[in-house]
Amino acid sequence: MDKKEIEILELLEKNGRMDVHMIARMVEMSAEEVESAIKKFEEMQIVHGYSTLIDWTEVRGYEGVTAMIDVKVTPIRGKGFNDVAERIYRFPEVKAVYLMSGAYDLSVSVEGKTMSQVARFVSEKLSTLDTVISTTTHFILKKYKHDGIIFGEDDDNDRRMPVSP
């Protein structure tokens, strides 16, 4: 992968809605070359999709909770952590799973409508898996920054990349 392709990926990661023509100007390529590169990234599954980052605290009537769960597991002989992680990420409540270094093995991000719903998921589904040794649940109380975006700043201080004009 060349330097310009990496630049395209970095721009898309910051703003998946950025116009192809703007990207082309920024990386000094033609729009057709950029479109071709993006299509290649999608086909190679380097780009898995495009998502929107929403500050749910600003949405009236929305109630939801997110928890980060530290999970200690027993890896499966000959398969390591991959099969355990797959069993966990198949649950619809699970939004992300990461293999970690340190005191625990997996970090699991879970979303639910209430703290009780997340607690039930942990006690009835996650902790009952035969490979799970222990869990520690951390509920997110406030989000300050996510994917490089600072929450709660005025528009004058908005550090996000602009959507094309």
Side-chain angles (χ1 to χ4, degrees), residues 22-74:
M22 181 182 282
I23 295 172
R25 286 192 301 273
M26 294 174 83
V27 298
E28 298 176 346
M29 294 172 69
S30 72
E32 293 77 22
E33 290 173 312
V34 170
E35 284 176 343
S36 175
I38 292 171
K39 183 176 180 182
K40 179 178 85 171
F41 300 148
E42 291 169 347
E43 289 170 354
M44 294 173 66
Q45 294 189 353
I46 293 170
V47 173
H48 285 267
Y50 301 89
S51 62
T52 302
L53 184 58
I54 298 170
D55 184 352
W56 287 106
T57 62
E58 298 295 324
V59 179
R60 292 180 192 261
Y62 175 81
E63 294 296 326
V65 296
T66 302
M68 299 299 298
I69 305 167
D70 303 339
V71 185
K72 289 185 183 179
V73 300
T74 303

Side-chain angles (χ1 to χ4, degrees), residues 11 24 30 44-45 61 69-70 73 80 101 106 123-124 133 141 155:
L11 290 168
S30 72
M44 294 173 66
Q45 294 189 353
I69 305 167
D70 303 339
V73 300
S101 63
L106 299 173
S123 65
E124 295 173 8
I133 298 169
L141 303 177
D155 288 339

Side-chain angles (χ1 to χ4, degrees), residues 83-94 97 121:
D83 282 10
V84 177
E86 182 177 353
R87 288 182 69 190
I88 293 170
Y89 70 62
R90 296 277 179 212
F91 289 114
E93 299 90 342
V94 173
V97 178
F121 165 78

Side-chain angles (χ1 to χ4, degrees), residues 53-54 56-57 66 140-146 151-152:
L53 184 58
I54 298 170
W56 287 106
T57 62
T66 302
I140 295 177
L141 303 177
K142 183 174 181 176
K143 191 181 298 188
Y144 293 99
K145 185 175 182 177
H146 184 88
F151 283 68

